Amino acid sequence: MGWRGRPAPASWPKTRVAVDEFGLIGRYFAPLSAGYPGALDLSDDAALIDAPEGEQIVATVDALVAGVHFVGDEIPADVATKALRVNLSDLAAMGARPIGYLLALALPTGWDEAWVAGFADGLRGDQDRYGIVMLGGDTVSTPGPLTVSVTALGSVPRGRALRRSSAAADDLIFVSGTLGDAGEGLRVLRAGEGGEDAAFLADRYRHPQPRLALGRALLGVASAALDVSDGLMGDLDHICTTSKLAARIEASSIPLSQPLRRRAGEATIENVLTDGDDYEILFTAPAARLAAVEAAARSASVPVTRIGQMVAGQGISVLDADGRPLSLSKGGFRHF
């Protein structure tokens, strides 16, 4: 998953509200499971989930830590939505339809009930947006920073999930949306910048947009896919490694938003290629399916751009407008 915050400010109140774990669950989280019988009102040890006929369950988990994966001074609803959406993005990249999620919430000493209420409101808003429910989870206290772990579950037609390992030589490489916005958004937040462009970029960092409709539309069209969480170079390397191929990328084809273009020149192309947290879909497809790719993009109302091609060999080459390789000093983000 993506990266990158800064040490959280001392924003937690010093007085803890007197409510125990089960009171917290019953008041704020059990209502988020309403309408899904298998969640058992969050009153049991686990949930019961049925796979739709002819489909497979897709499961993914990501953890967010204050000061690492988000800045730390966000309103609680923003923390909730980012934690949920980065997981939905994983489902989107496999072409899955989301079903629901489980939440593990580690609250720092000094948490207050108003923060939890705002956090639950953020979850509820995204449940309504994406048609999902809470299936279960856990709440604990921690002497460390706020930590949020979400496990998201979805379903995909049996045997049709999009995977990283099935690209072929000569496949075209595509990416949805624009790249580099979230990384620049983090820089904006760190610098405390204002203005319309800064607000757009900060929003891209704080509010990922999982491309669920596009992922479903790419079933049977894309040959391989994943989401761009750790940077284009790092994530494309996963496709190259698992598919045992190399890739050539045309730097001039990388899609950039207008706010980023107004800030970025040639000196920042490396940031665009290596910054994380964009949560766009990076995928490959045979040239013969180009029309189908374009149709999928239209049906999902998400722009898609061809940025390169898979080739025999190893590694990733990034070419400038004259076809000369660029030298990069860093790759995608790695936690360790």
Side-chain angles (χ1 to χ4, degrees):
M1 198 204 58
W3 44 291
R4 281 113 341 211
R6 64 185 180 195
S11 57
W12 290 87
K14 302 302 182 185
T15 303
R16 176 174 170 167
V17 175
V19 57
D20 65 15
E21 177 187 5
F22 299 105
L24 195 72
I25 293 169
R27 187 175 303 173
Y28 296 107
F29 298 130
L32 299 179
S33 71
Y36 194 88
L40 307 174
D41 296 322
L42 306 191
S43 63
D44 221 309
D45 288 330
L48 304 173
I49 301 166
D50 294 323
E53 186 175 354
E55 300 208 349
Q56 294 173 290
I57 294 294
V58 180
T60 183
V61 60
D62 273 314
L64 274 68
V65 180
V68 179
H69 303 99
F70 55 96
V71 173
D73 60 358
E74 290 86 350
I75 62 171
D78 283 353
V79 177
T81 56
K82 184 163 188 178
L84 191 53
R85 292 181 189 187
V86 300
N87 283 274
L88 295 179
S89 182
D90 284 336
L91 297 184
M94 296 194 80
R97 176 185 62 83
I99 296 172
Y101 66 99
L102 298 96
L103 168 72
L105 181 63
L107 293 166
T109 302
W111 62 270
D112 81 327
E113 195 169 347
W115 190 96
V116 175
F119 182 85
D121 284 345
L123 293 177
R124 182 181 298 281
D126 265 10
Q127 286 190 185
D128 293 342
R129 178 189 296 265
Y130 298 111
I132 56 177
V133 296
M134 178 179 283
L135 300 170
D138 193 22
T139 54
V140 298
S141 63
T142 175
L146 170 69
T147 302
V148 185
S149 179
V150 169
T151 299
L153 301 174
S155 68
V156 67
R158 186 170 298 278
R160 295 185 62 197
L162 300 174
R163 300 178 60 189
R164 303 176 177 187
S165 58
S166 46
D170 298 325
D171 277 358
L172 304 181
I173 303 170
F174 300 87
V175 71
S176 67
T178 57
L179 296 181
D181 294 329
E184 194 67 17
L186 177 59
R187 294 183 188 91
V188 161
L189 290 167
R190 283 173 166 167
E193 294 184 38
E196 186 175 340
D197 285 351
F200 171 87
L201 296 167
D203 184 73
R204 285 276 285 155
Y205 174 74
R206 283 181 159 161
H207 301 107
Q209 301 297 319
R211 304 301 191 182
L212 289 160
L214 179 62
R216 295 287 283 185
L218 288 173
L219 290 175
V221 176
S223 52
L226 79 175
D227 69 334
V228 182
S229 57
D230 294 330
L232 175 65
M233 294 293 288
D235 289 313
L236 181 56
D237 183 63
H238 296 322
I239 291 179
C240 290
T241 300
T242 57
S243 296
K244 299 179 173 58
L245 292 169
R248 285 200 301 260
I249 296 297
E250 301 159 7
S252 60
S253 297
I254 303 296
L256 305 178
S257 68
Q258 287 304 314
L260 187 60
R261 286 182 185 278
R262 285 190 283 267
R263 298 171 62 89
E266 288 299 319
T268 62
I269 187 61
E270 185 165 19
N271 289 338
V272 172
L273 292 168
T274 58
D275 283 350
D277 285 304
D278 283 315
Y279 296 101
E280 297 292 349
I281 297 183
L282 174 68
F283 66 96
T284 63
R289 295 181 188 164
L290 179 57
V293 168
E294 293 169 346
R298 287 193 300 271
S299 71
S301 300
V302 176
V304 165
T305 305
R306 176 195 167 187
I307 61 172
Q309 190 168 22
M310 302 299 295
V311 295
Q314 295 181 326
I316 303 171
S317 300
V318 181
L319 308 180
D320 66 16
D322 297 319
R324 296 172 300 195
L326 294 175
S327 178
L328 304 177
S329 62
K330 60 181 180 178
F333 173 76
R334 293 182 182 274
H335 289 277
F336 301 104

